[in-house]
Each structure stands twice: as structure tokens, then as C-alpha cells.
Amino acid sequence: MKKNIRKKIFIKLNTLSLSISKKLIKNLNKRKDFDQRNYYAKSFLAASLIKINKFKYEKIIRLLVKRISQEKKGKLYHYEFNRYALNDAFGSKKALKILNTNKFTYGKVANWSILRVICRFNESKKLNLISFLELIRVKILFQTNFGIQDQKGLFSTQYNFFSLALLNEIRGQSVNLFSNNWFNQSLINCIHQINTNGVTNLIGRGSLQLFGYASLIYLLSFYSNNLKILKILEIIIDTVAREINYQSVIPIVLFKKNKCKEKKYKGTPNLQKKDKLGWYSYNNEPDYSAFALLMFLKAKDNLNINLKTKKIKIKNNSGFRRIDKEIYCYKKNKILVYFGIQRIKNNECCLFNPIIIYGKKFLLPPLGGEQSK
């Protein structure tokens, strides 16, 4: 049974990846760039096309690389993301040659820190002192009993998924800092936040965004030797595929109603428009589409090699569960309820920002924006 489900998921990921890659290639202009502002889309697309068929897409890959090496790299250039994707595509030596620098942007949030660790590890083939100190920084500032916070004291399901997936990439090198028991409990917390309709990613920065769903798919693929996780993974993939097929463009935010469906744009998106509801100032379609594509392909690779992770027991996947220091989640089949409990005086508490989901109906939706709770 497990083998059959793995095969089905593999085929679904392959179909979804091919669909996204065709849309991204179609959106490239004559200069092999996107008309929309983007920070790392070309690097992620090049890495993805190498995985799909490097011979078929050899010319496009070559022109993408040329464009990456020629583009201006200012203060906002996402070195961490570009180096991560280019390392995956070409190896560290060629990646640094393409970028013509070994700079980092030094974003302060947790996932940027872990990206730097992975890039340095790929480049030196060992966990050097700087990387070890960076992991200690992540452990001290962002690790909780429930997962990885986005910023100190601020929880985001999206960036928890992504940070956990990245830490699984270097699990052998980080095991002395992040225990197997902690990894398992963090994963169980993630699973508890998925209802039977595949709705999740509801708290904090990036709620309901494709980035978070793609990160979760990649994260779950590390545990694909578990039958229960395989079934959950298939539900998430089906949900994402339906949302992508529902819209004419690859959406950044999922589950939008007809009047809010995302539309094509050029340059920098106008965040005041209704179709850009749930976007942040740095969001753009090419980056998030290409990111999702590479995550799906890396998840497919994990399924193909049948990773031998530590056994994880998923007992009762219903009821109440604490998912961060002040955030709780109640789950039962289609029902998902989030609420915060905050102590305001010694013997008094208050509830804040409740979220209620039934199936795919958002009875009390996420607030959106850079909410912290």
C-alpha cells in the first residue's frame, strides 16, 4: 500500500511541476527575465529545469545564468536564496562564479540564517565554525519546544515549515543541537494544523501563501517512509494542485474567492488592489512560483530515494494542541480552530485572534498582514 501511494504522489508532483515550469517559461521575456519584479526566480527556475530535463532546456538554462550574472545586485538582492538554488543546480564553485561574489544579504529571520548554513556547508563540505555559531543563533533566538519561530517571539506557520525542511536537509550536521525527539514533536505540531481538506498555514507572516504549502510538501517528503504522513502529503498536494488549476496565474495566496483572484501584472505589484490581498511588499509571482517548483522537485527526489528517517509515531491527530508559546489549535476532521491565550495579570488571561475553519470555509479567517500572533 505504501509503495502504491508513493508512486501516486510521485506522479502527481511530476505533473504539478511540469505544469508550473511551462507557465514560468511562458512568462519569460526575450531577455530570459520576467516582466514582474523578482529577486530569485531565475535561480530557482534554472535549478528546477536542470532537475526536469537539463538537455531539453539547455539553452534556457544558459540564458537564465547569463541574466543572473549580469543583473544588478543591490542591498535588497537575496543572496541567500540565490546561492541556495544555484548551489543545488551547479555546485558551489560554479554558483559563486555565476554570482561573482560570496556575499550574503544577512537577513535576520530564522530561515535566512539556516540558508546561510546550508550554503556554507555545500561550499566547504563541512560544518565550519561560522555555520556552527549561526545554528547556535537559531537555537537560542528561534527554537521553541514547538518548532522554529520566524523572528524572536513571533510565530509563522509558513516559515516554521520552511525552517524545519531546511534543518532536515542538514540533519546529520545539526543533530547535536536539534534532537530527533524535537524534530518529531515539531513535525507532529505541523501535522496537527492540517484539516482533512488540506487547509493549513494560517498563522503569522505568509499565512495561506503557496510558499508555505510548498515548504510543507518538502518537509513531509523527508518522512515519506511513514504511511500516515504519505496520506497527508497526498491531500496537501491535491489541494495545491486544485488551487493552481483554479486560477489563470500561479497564485501567491491560496483559497481566494472569485472577486479576489490574482491577475497578471508588470513591474512592482500594486498591493492596494483587491487581487493582491494577503501579499507583502516583497512578494511577486515569479519568485514564489519558481520556489514552489523547486520544492516540489526536491520532494519528488526524496520520494525517489526513500529516505530512512527515524520512526515517528502519530497517535491522536485530533483535539487541542499547543503549537507555540501562546497559540493553541483545536482540530477535528474538517474543523480547525486557532486561538491565543495571553496572560495579562497574575490570575487573568485573555483570548485573541481566533481563527475558525470548516473544510475550506473560512468562518473566521486569518487577519493577514504581518500579524505576530
Side-chain angles (χ1 to χ4, degrees), residues 89-202:
F90 304 106
S92 59
K93 190 175 180 180
K94 186 173 179 181
L96 293 175
K97 187 177 179 182
I98 292 167
L99 292 170
N100 197 30
T101 182
N102 61 353
K103 284 183 181 178
F104 284 119
T105 312
Y106 285 100
K108 295 178 181 178
V109 292
N111 67 91
W112 285 61
S113 241
I114 305 168
L115 282 170
R116 288 192 290 275
V117 173
I118 292 174
C119 290
R120 287 192 177 108
F121 178 78
N122 289 336
E123 288 156 13
S124 64
K125 304 302 177 190
K126 62 181 180 180
L127 194 67
N128 59 27
L129 179 60
I130 296 173
S131 296
F132 185 70
L133 292 173
E134 190 100 61
L135 281 177
I136 289 176
R137 175 181 182 268
V138 170
K139 185 174 180 65
I140 292 172
L141 293 181
F142 309 117
Q143 185 190 24
T144 69
N145 293 333
F146 318 100
I148 298 287
Q149 292 185 333
D150 179 29
Q151 303 174 53
K152 187 172 175 58
L154 303 181
F155 182 74
S156 157
T157 45
Q158 170 159 294
Y159 292 104
N160 179 49
F161 295 158
F162 185 42
S163 294
L164 289 173
L166 292 175
L167 285 173
N168 268 280
E169 275 195 33
I170 52 168
R171 192 159 177 175
Q173 289 71 45
S174 62
V175 69
N176 291 328
L177 292 174
F178 303 95
S179 69
N180 286 324
N181 182 59
W182 175 82
F183 270 111
N184 290 347
Q185 289 305 311
S186 298
L187 182 75
I188 290 168
N189 276 343
C190 294
I191 289 168
H192 191 81
Q193 298 172 66
I194 307 167
N195 75 4
T196 51
N197 290 84
V199 177
T200 186
N201 189 24
L202 293 157

Side-chain angles (χ1 to χ4, degrees), residues 157 161 190-202 207-210 212-214 216-217 220 229-244 253-255 317 331-336 338 357-362:
T157 45
F161 295 158
C190 294
I191 289 168
H192 191 81
Q193 298 172 66
I194 307 167
N195 75 4
T196 51
N197 290 84
V199 177
T200 186
N201 189 24
L202 293 157
S207 57
L208 292 178
Q209 290 192 347
L210 177 62
Y213 280 82
L216 178 60
I217 286 168
L220 294 177
I229 291 175
L230 275 175
K231 290 178 178 178
I232 294 166
L233 180 56
E234 186 175 18
I235 291 169
I236 296 291
I237 292 166
D238 288 343
T239 300
V240 171
R242 278 193 296 269
E243 288 297 306
I244 288 175
V253 181
L254 307 188
F255 307 110
N317 197 19
K331 171 187 171 179
K332 188 171 183 181
N333 299 324
K334 293 183 177 183
I335 301 169
L336 266 182
Y338 287 89
I357 312 295
Y358 180 78
K360 291 184 181 178
K361 293 180 180 178
F362 293 77

Side-chain angles (χ1 to χ4, degrees), residues 52-66:
I52 294 170
N53 191 330
K54 65 179 180 181
F55 301 108
K56 180 180 178 181
Y57 297 114
E58 182 182 3
K59 185 179 178 182
I60 296 174
I61 294 165
R62 178 165 42 82
L63 292 171
L64 283 169
V65 167
K66 183 180 179 182

Side-chain angles (χ1 to χ4, degrees), residues 146-368:
F146 318 100
I148 298 287
Q149 292 185 333
D150 179 29
Q151 303 174 53
K152 187 172 175 58
L154 303 181
F155 182 74
S156 157
T157 45
Q158 170 159 294
Y159 292 104
N160 179 49
F161 295 158
F162 185 42
S163 294
L164 289 173
L166 292 175
L167 285 173
N168 268 280
E169 275 195 33
I170 52 168
R171 192 159 177 175
Q173 289 71 45
S174 62
V175 69
N176 291 328
L177 292 174
F178 303 95
S179 69
N180 286 324
N181 182 59
W182 175 82
F183 270 111
N184 290 347
Q185 289 305 311
S186 298
L187 182 75
I188 290 168
N189 276 343
C190 294
I191 289 168
H192 191 81
Q193 298 172 66
I194 307 167
N195 75 4
T196 51
N197 290 84
V199 177
T200 186
N201 189 24
L202 293 157
I203 300 292
R205 189 166 68 103
S207 57
L208 292 178
Q209 290 192 347
L210 177 62
F211 188 112
Y213 280 82
S215 298
L216 178 60
I217 286 168
Y218 183 38
L219 170 62
L220 294 177
S221 73
F222 284 96
Y223 301 85
S224 57
N225 55 352
N226 183 294
L227 183 58
K228 287 184 179 179
I229 291 175
L230 275 175
K231 290 178 178 178
I232 294 166
L233 180 56
E234 186 175 18
I235 291 169
I236 296 291
I237 292 166
D238 288 343
T239 300
V240 171
R242 278 193 296 269
E243 288 297 306
I244 288 175
N245 294 332
Y246 171 65
Q247 300 203 31
S248 57
V249 298
I250 302 168
I252 285 183
V253 181
L254 307 188
F255 307 110
K256 287 192 170 183
K257 294 179 181 177
N258 278 313
K259 62 182 179 180
C260 294
K261 276 180 27 174
E262 293 172 5
K263 301 178 182 71
K264 290 184 177 180
Y265 65 96
K266 287 190 176 183
T268 303
N270 181 357
L271 301 184
Q272 301 304 312
K273 290 191 174 181
K274 193 175 282 187
D275 71 305
K276 303 299 182 288
L277 188 70
W279 288 39
Y280 303 104
S281 59
Y282 49 84
N283 284 165
N284 61 81
E285 184 194 333
D287 279 351
Y288 277 40
S289 302
F291 172 87
L293 175 58
L294 186 58
M295 293 301 106
F296 296 154
L297 291 167
K298 286 169 81 73
K300 198 177 79 163
D301 289 345
N302 282 349
L303 286 165
N304 206 26
I305 60 178
N306 193 13
L307 289 168
K308 299 292 182 183
T309 48
K310 295 282 185 182
K311 286 188 178 180
I312 179 169
K313 290 183 180 179
I314 302 169
K315 297 177 183 176
N316 185 9
N317 197 19
S318 297
F320 286 95
R321 191 174 186 90
R322 189 177 181 181
I323 61 162
D324 194 49
K325 291 183 178 179
E326 294 178 343
I327 305 171
Y328 293 78
C329 175
Y330 173 79
K331 171 187 171 179
K332 188 171 183 181
N333 299 324
K334 293 183 177 183
I335 301 169
L336 266 182
V337 179
Y338 287 89
F339 56 92
I341 297 181
Q342 192 173 47
R343 189 178 296 277
I344 52 176
K345 288 183 181 179
N346 288 338
N347 297 313
E348 295 181 22
C349 293
C350 68
L351 297 179
F352 60 89
N353 291 0
I355 297 169
I356 303 175
I357 312 295
Y358 180 78
K360 291 184 181 178
K361 293 180 180 178
F362 293 77
L363 305 180
L364 274 178
L367 293 177

